[in-house]
Amino acid sequence: NEGNEYFREKDYRRAVIAYTEGLRKKSEDPELNAVLHANRGAAEFYLGNYRSALNDAIQAKKLKPTHLKAIIRGALCHMELKNFSEAIAWCEEGLRIDSKEKKLVEMRAKADKLKRDTTCPVTDCYFFCSYSPHHTWLGFEVWFFLLPTLQERNIKLVFEPSDEEEELSDGLAEISLDGFHSNSATGTKVHLDADGNLNWPVLFLYPEHEQTDFIAAFHENSRFIDHLMVMFAELPPWDLERKYLPSNLELYFEDEERAEMYELNPEHTLLQVLQHKRYFVKAGTPTVLAFVRRSPFSKKYFAGKKVHRL
């Protein structure tokens, strides 16, 4: 009920925390757990955390295979992640439950069209193909449009052209679009919202456990601590020692050119970090590393490295 109240107030972060607390109670009622997962997924969706929302939709569907709202949400997540084939599959699964569900019918048609529109007729690959009379690079317009916005914010980018890209004209060869098309590791792109703010795909790395977290749309004015509070409201299954608490974590980024590490202030926003003089966004996806404070692993990891701390 608390989560629903926060959801109605559009306070989605608190809604996520409330639904997570409900799941922690480990109710033996699968119907209730399915609702909690579905509701938390809806809140995550509105926060732009599409992969987390998708995971909740999957869990809700496992608990209740006929949970139509969860199936619709899962299909929507795949649409946002540009996984059009998966979106079609989820829509078809939902339509087997209710063949007249308008949202699924419309989404199924849209996903099919987008899949065809963003697939190269020669190679059958998504979005990116090398330049030739029969190939198109559908990500270029996105990058070209955002360039002035990134320059205004003094955000520095690093790109690594592939062999094919180096064959382009001199003007284009200076800009590789890795990370701005669906062949990137995350499959999502930085974008401007209706208010003119940038939303970035951000990757969190946990070297100690070789695990990752991915936020599909990290608002540039959001603080890291706010995301950590949501991400670790429920301890991950791989944290057997229960050490990964928001207050117990240190965040860093790596300056690969100088082989140096910089500690972040979790109270800072993403934009503040991206504007750091030694932060370079690689392949269109900001990346941060998370360690447990003063853990044996972090001490070993940083041994011999130059670390710039807060």
Side-chain angles (χ1 to χ4, degrees):
N1 289 338
E2 183 179 313
N4 291 344
E5 187 63 33
Y6 284 133
F7 195 97
R8 281 191 290 270
E9 295 171 0
K10 297 185 178 180
D11 191 342
Y12 301 120
R13 297 191 192 285
R14 289 186 176 178
V16 167
I17 292 171
Y19 293 135
T20 299
E21 285 299 315
L23 286 166
R24 277 181 175 172
K25 299 300 180 183
K26 300 187 183 301
S27 167
E28 295 182 0
D29 181 356
E31 180 88 17
L32 176 58
N33 288 330
V35 170
L36 285 166
H37 275 294
N39 288 2
R40 186 172 71 175
E44 291 278 20
F45 184 89
Y46 283 111
L47 287 170
N49 301 333
Y50 302 123
R51 290 190 186 276
S52 296
L54 178 59
N55 287 336
D56 271 319
I58 291 171
Q59 292 302 317
K61 188 157 67 78
K62 282 182 180 178
L63 291 163
K64 185 180 179 181
T66 59
H67 199 311
L68 203 57
K69 285 186 178 180
I71 293 173
I72 293 171
R73 185 70 58 197
L76 285 169
C77 290
H78 279 303
M79 290 292 287
E80 292 292 339
L81 294 168
K82 307 295 187 294
N83 301 331
F84 301 123
S85 295
E86 290 85 349
I88 290 170
W90 278 65
C91 287
E92 290 178 345
E93 184 175 354
L95 290 170
R96 286 195 290 271
I97 298 169
D98 183 353
S99 61
K100 297 181 181 179
E101 171 54 55
K102 185 178 179 182
K103 289 181 181 178
L104 291 174
V105 171
E106 292 177 352
M107 201 183 329
R108 172 68 176 78
K110 183 178 179 181
D112 188 58
K113 181 179 185 301
L114 287 171
K115 182 182 177 183
R116 285 185 280 107
D117 288 349
T118 57
T119 301
C120 171
V122 178
T123 63
D124 196 35
C125 66
Y126 285 119
F127 285 99
F128 172 75
C129 300
S130 59
Y131 269 78
S132 79
H134 304 290
H135 294 65
T136 57
W137 201 344
L138 301 181
F140 179 75
E141 292 83 357
V142 174
W143 164 240
F144 190 79
F145 174 73
L146 288 177
L147 185 58
T149 304
L150 298 173
Q151 289 176 333
E152 287 173 6
R153 288 162 167 75
N154 194 30
I155 295 174
K156 298 166 287 297
L157 307 167
V158 174
F159 299 103
E160 297 178 344
S162 67
D163 293 338
E164 289 178 336
E165 290 160 21
E166 289 174 355
E167 297 175 1
L168 302 179
S169 66
D170 292 341
L172 288 177
E174 293 177 0
I175 303 176
S176 161
L177 300 183
D178 261 359
F180 290 88
H181 54 74
S182 64
N183 281 349
S184 69
T186 59
T188 59
K189 300 179 286 288
V190 59
H191 65 274
L192 279 170
D193 61 24
D195 298 319
N197 297 305
L198 288 173
N199 290 263
W200 291 85
V202 175
L203 192 62
F204 286 78
L205 306 179
Y206 311 107
E208 182 175 2
H209 296 277
E210 297 183 348
Q211 296 288 333
T212 63
D213 267 326
F214 175 64
I215 297 177
F218 194 130
H219 192 286
E220 62 181 350
N221 293 323
S222 292
R223 302 180 306 165
F224 279 88
I225 187 61
D226 295 329
H227 282 280
L228 290 176
M229 292 296 291
V230 172
M231 291 158 60
F232 292 98
E234 185 175 356
L235 290 172
W238 44 262
D239 180 20
L240 300 179
E241 298 179 32
R242 304 178 67 82
K243 299 185 299 184
Y244 279 73
L245 304 170
S247 59
N248 203 27
L249 296 179
E250 292 180 340
L251 302 179
Y252 294 83
F253 72 83
E254 185 173 7
D255 182 347
E256 294 184 8
E257 181 182 338
R258 296 182 179 179
E260 297 175 354
M261 303 289 293
Y262 287 81
E263 185 179 6
L264 310 183
N265 183 344
E267 300 289 336
H268 282 175
T269 65
L270 175 61
L271 180 58
Q272 287 176 296
V273 172
L274 296 183
Q275 290 177 328
H276 188 283
K277 62 181 180 180
R278 294 306 304 171
Y279 197 100
F280 299 87
V281 179
K282 186 176 180 181
T285 304
T287 301
V288 297
L289 294 88
F291 300 86
V292 173
R293 183 177 288 108
R294 292 185 291 276
S295 68
F297 178 87
S298 66
K299 291 177 181 177
K300 183 178 179 181
Y301 187 92
F302 292 119
K305 289 186 172 72
K306 185 173 182 180
V307 181
H308 301 269
R309 297 191 180 275
L310 297 176

